[in-house]
Amino acid sequence: LESRTRLKTLSGLSIADHDCHAAGLTYVYPVISRRAGGISIGINLHPNNACNFRCVYCQVEGLVLGAGPEVDLSILERELDWMLDAASSEETRLAWAGDRAHARLIDVAFSGNGEPTTSPQFAEAVALLGRLLAKRGLLGTLRVVLITNGTMAHKPHVLDAIGALSEANGEVWFKLDRATDGAMHQVNGTHVSVAHHLEGLRRVAARCPRTWVQTCMFQWDGAPPGEADVDAYVAALAGLVADRVPLAGVHVYSLARQSHQPEAPRLSSVSAEWLDAFAARVRGLGLRVDVAL
Ligand code: SF4
């Protein structure tokens, strides 16, 4: 009950506060999403801070290598129920957002402190969210987002859950930061090959027609990604376009939040001009591109 009451009194949420603890909860948190332009309810299935990537820009403190822990679905359901109740109040949304422009509920997002699809309860969590949205008449109207690094896209049960999410007005944001094996290893801390990763993207797009590529571009020791990396990235997307993979578009951004990885002091945002020029090349493929610095 204390947490439920605290939810209504949270205020001044910022883009930096992706934190369940601020709300006194285990799995669910509200956050102002500058990309989406309002309040997003985040679902964190990884309170253990474990991910199978180690992106150098990752903002998770105490990030460890691993998969999701067992999720207590009864707690997740209770917290989501509370959060959706709280978010239905305009007064509460205004207190959270701090201004009217952002005091609207944009979506519910599976994101958090690890890769959502490695959670043993990912499919159950998707189904549970669908039930809670249906109870409020929000199923099909409130957007549901899966923010994923795509590494589990070859697992049938994950693809089935993505199909269910898609039917619940869901969209997928699939991480593709670089398109050479070397650069992907350097940026994402993985030995997954680009070819395997792109195959996963094709599978996900086939199950969810609202699949976005999400790409983080940043400077390393003051230098933006090199021409060869940009060329490889554009060529990878060109291959998907040529094969008519149904992508909704590309979300391009730079360092939205402080990295909490050892490389943090070496990283900085690319300039708006660099990002715009990069976006223009991707748009040249006929893809929609949304840019956020
Ligand atoms: S995939 Fe996401 S949670 Fe995992 S290391 Fe990268 S940024 Fe962090």
Side-chain angles (χ1 to χ4, degrees), residues 50-60 63 111-116 147-149 175 177 187-188 214 253 261:
C51 190
N52 55 358
F53 268 18
R54 194 191 73 76
C55 304
V56 290
Y57 55 78
C58 182
Q59 82 277 9
V60 174
L63 181 73
S111 52
N113 293 359
E115 169 49 37
I147 299 177
T148 179
N149 65 22
K175 186 184 293 297
D177 290 326
V187 169
N188 303 120
Q214 59 156 345
Y253 59 105
Q261 307 316 310

Side-chain angles (χ1 to χ4, degrees), residues 32-33 36-39 93-94 97-106:
I32 299 295
S33 168
I39 297 163
R93 291 195 307 274
L94 195 54
D99 63 72
R100 280 200 189 279
H102 291 91
R104 57 193 185 116
L105 182 60
I106 301 293

Side-chain angles (χ1 to χ4, degrees), residues 57-109:
Y57 55 78
C58 182
Q59 82 277 9
V60 174
E61 289 186 68
L63 181 73
V64 294
L65 188 66
E70 290 289 319
V71 170
D72 187 325
L73 290 169
S74 62
I75 293 178
L76 175 61
E77 179 163 6
R78 188 169 67 222
E79 292 185 354
L80 260 177
D81 220 17
W82 289 352
M83 193 64 77
L84 288 166
D85 272 350
S88 70
S89 155
E90 191 178 353
E91 188 187 350
T92 301
R93 291 195 307 274
L94 195 54
W96 287 352
D99 63 72
R100 280 200 189 279
H102 291 91
R104 57 193 185 116
L105 182 60
I106 301 293
D107 60 32
V108 181

